[in-house]
Amino acid sequence: MKSKIVLIIMLCLVSLSFNTYAQDKKEKKNDKKEVTFDVSMTCDNCKKKIEKNIAFEKGVSDMKVDLPSKTVMVVYHENKTNQEKLQKAIEKLGYEVKVHEDTK
């Protein structure tokens, strides 16, 4: 009888530790940030060049290139990259880049 109680308590402790571990992992996945850049792109080829290259930058999880408004919105993991690195990566492709400021 005593051994069954000890076994049940051990199983409860193990399941609690797994639950805590899973929650910690979930919190680490939510380290995403979003930034929008104004980019000096002028044509559809510019858009394709940015989409092709920036999508594969380390830490980028999503992006949207909008040619009419000349903006690039990037969602990235802040533990893998940052706003400055992304800006430099776009500049390296030959475009003028600045962080977009909302005019609301």
Side-chain angles (χ1 to χ4, degrees):
M1 181 71 171
K2 246 184 182 182
S3 62
K4 286 183 182 181
I5 293 173
V6 170
L7 183 62
I8 290 172
I9 291 173
M10 295 288 281
L11 287 174
C12 288
L13 289 174
V14 169
S15 66
L16 266 170
S17 66
F18 282 128
N19 189 24
T20 304
Y21 175 74
Q23 287 176 350
D24 287 344
K25 256 192 134 161
K26 188 176 181 182
E27 287 174 9
K28 287 181 183 179
K29 287 185 179 182
N30 293 333
D31 67 340
K32 292 183 181 179
K33 284 202 167 188
E34 180 180 313
V35 64
T36 303
F37 297 108
D38 291 321
V39 182
S40 64
M41 57 184 160
T42 56
C43 63
D44 199 44
N45 285 334
C46 298
K47 178 183 177 193
K48 289 176 185 175
K49 184 177 182 180
I50 292 170
E51 288 173 336
K52 181 181 175 186
N53 290 284
I54 303 304
F56 294 105
E57 283 291 315
K58 186 176 181 178
V60 173
S61 63
D62 192 21
M63 69 178 296
K64 180 182 176 192
V65 181
D66 187 20
L67 184 58
S69 66
K70 296 184 178 187
T71 58
V72 177
M73 184 276 301
V74 182
V75 178
Y76 63 95
H77 294 276
E78 66 181 338
N79 63 344
K80 294 185 180 179
T81 191
N82 59 39
Q83 180 177 311
E84 292 78 25
K85 287 180 183 177
L86 294 170
Q87 185 171 350
K88 286 179 183 176
I90 297 172
E91 288 172 347
K92 194 174 180 181
L93 296 174
Y95 303 102
E96 291 179 23
V97 183
K98 65 178 185 171
V99 177
H100 180 75
E101 296 178 19
D102 271 337
T103 54
K104 289 184 178 179

